[in-house]
Amino acid sequence: MKNLFTNIKGDAFGGITAGIVALPLALAFGVSSGLGPTAGLYGAIFISFFAALFGGTNTQISGPTAPMTAVSMVIIAGIIAANDGDVNKALPTILTVFLLAGLMQIGLGALKLGMYIRYIPYPVVSGFMTAIGVIIILTQILPSLGYYPKEDMEFVNTFKAQAQEVILENILKDEAGEGILVLENFKETINRADEITQDAVLKESQTLAAKEASGALGAIKAIPRALQNINWLELILALGTIIIIYGFKRITKAVPSTLVALIVMSGIAVGFNLGYRPIEEIPSGLPVPNLEIFTEFKLSSVTPYVFTALTLALLGAIDSLLTSVVADNMTKTKHKPNKELVGQGIGNSIAAVFGGIPGAGATIRTVVNITSGGKTKLSGMIAGVLLFIILLGLGPIASKIPAAVLAGILITVGIGVMDYKGLKAIPNLPKDVKIGPVKFSMEVLIMLTVLVLSTFWNLVYAVGIGLVIASLMFMKKIGDITGERSGITSLKEEEAWADEKEFPNNLKEEVFIKHVKGPLFFGSTSDFQQLVAQIPNTAEIVIMRLARMQYMDQSGLYAMEDMLQDLQKNGVEVLFVGLPKQPRYMMERIDIIPDFVPEEHIFNRFEECLNWVKANIKDKY
């Protein structure tokens, strides 16, 4: 904090520039999330200011980002659907989930887990980021065409029967909650059903129609209807926005092309008084905390979303720390990952209380800040203050921005967020897995699995499945490598170690020497269990050289026990040489020592073992 005012001019210019870049994105992400532009603006204000103030990356600019918005959009849609399509009714639960995610981020930082976020496999991140881009593009096609399912009455009317069913189910649930026995008081059910108005049925039908067309898959299903009902003005506004964003970059990058597109296309729409669809009204005045989060808190309503909140927290952590690495590379500094997570968590928590959507460190805005002169935390705080001033003074003006313009901006964001580096590498990655006659790359399989599941099913579960597959494949590879290097999987005659050169030739048929040159853990146990098959039928003694087996887990312990049992049944004795402390401790816990390998069969040096062999084993062949 003592260096906060050492670069006031550079930080002011960097913060103002980053704030200007953030404005159209904040509005667009708010609209995309389903909570409206105000939620996006509130999120940008509070996250930018407080994440900068308490975070661990001096030049980071934070706010709503594409990945965080995509996940938030799914959460918001699900909670609204569970609350009869009423946004106001669902809002306390939505904001509570966001608050919980922020608190979890603080917890991750406090537990010093920030350094471990980097170990998430690249194929999982790549598939997820590409899926985010695809989802954003698909979900913005409908508003770009000027098509809104809730307003297509022909489409809405197809849900009337289902709407009546839903309303009746809600009546029955209410009666069950009130302790009313339906079969004994069926007249009460009929009376309540008679009170259902056509407006209520229409509202529920619109909710179901919007739900049917939500998400990537819903958007794909709705595109044919949208193409039959194109609003050409909205389409022209969206295409004009996209063209300006990409075209203006070729002229200069000194001025953000997104802002230019927003001003130009909005100016045309307003100036020529075109009959366009504006975004929702942005209220003027100071943001007010949503106290319903605390006054109407219900554990039962939030519990189903705990895992979702954790996923949101982890995603924000990954997003932020990746941006921190970019900032480090540009400024030649070193960020503090755990402090950064605490700062992001505080920013997201405060934003949630005021009704803002969650966010993270934003790479583009951070790069703009640094290249514009930002060097300290003050730059991120100034960006938040600038957005706050815009909210107070320009809210009514911003409310006139065409919805199609923001849809065009989001389409370019979706295109930009996809991981083209990972996609381009697909043909060149080694095909290291074979199923039947088909060979393929495991990294590609993981990436495509996460991509498809994230896009068409569930973002949260897709990442979890991707992590599980990646972890299993990593363990298999490590197990294979460990087994190969440790000699566990070797079926050929092993090369004698230096101290084995003088081993008597006449005892080589009676004594089998096995070298274990690595840890014995769950990844190598399946191969270790095949060790008995390597031992010749003539062997009476197996000498296990274990000095390099420094670690043994529970799986390895039981694999060792199974092997020793098999050898004992076959009348083969086992000698241990150089047994390290940790494996010995494990084997003593379940009495492998001394039940299968007595103390007199454990030697510190091979020379001692050799003397025992010479004294106790005779040449029989």
Side-chain angles (χ1 to χ4, degrees), residues 396-455:
I397 297 175
S399 298
K400 296 181 180 180
I401 295 172
V405 170
L406 293 186
I409 290 173
L410 283 171
I411 287 175
T412 63
V413 171
I415 294 171
V417 81
M418 289 193 289
D419 182 38
Y420 297 102
K421 181 180 179 181
L423 293 173
K424 289 179 181 177
I426 288 177
N428 303 319
L429 290 173
K431 294 178 174 58
D432 51 1
V433 177
K434 184 177 182 180
I435 297 181
V438 182
K439 280 188 174 183
F440 56 90
S441 167
M442 181 50 62
E443 282 76 12
V444 172
L445 177 64
I446 293 170
M447 185 185 73
L448 293 179
T449 298
V450 174
L451 169 59
V452 173
L453 293 181
S454 295
T455 303

Side-chain angles (χ1 to χ4, degrees), residues 15 18-19 22 25-27 29-30 33 35 37-69 72 95 97-99 101-103 105-106 287 312-313 315-317 319-321 323-324 339-363 365-366 369 376-388 391:
L25 295 175
L27 296 172
F29 287 138
S33 72
L35 292 185
T38 305
L41 198 52
Y42 283 178
I45 291 169
F46 291 108
I47 299 170
S48 178
F49 186 88
F50 289 103
L53 178 61
F54 296 105
T57 310
N58 288 339
T59 53
Q60 181 129 285
I61 304 294
S62 302
T65 62
M68 293 293 279
T69 302
S72 300
L95 297 182
V97 173
F98 292 164
L99 174 61
L103 295 175
Q105 282 186 319
I106 296 174
L312 194 62
L315 175 61
D319 210 359
S320 298
L321 295 181
T323 303
S324 296
K339 188 177 180 182
E340 182 61 34
L341 291 187
V342 171
Q344 292 292 334
I346 292 173
N348 278 312
S349 299
I350 295 175
V353 172
F354 283 89
I357 61 174
T363 305
R365 280 160 267 178
T366 299
N369 176 42
T376 75
K377 295 173 178 286
L378 185 62
S379 58
M381 296 164 67
I382 288 174
V385 171
L386 174 68
L387 292 171
F388 182 66
L391 170 69

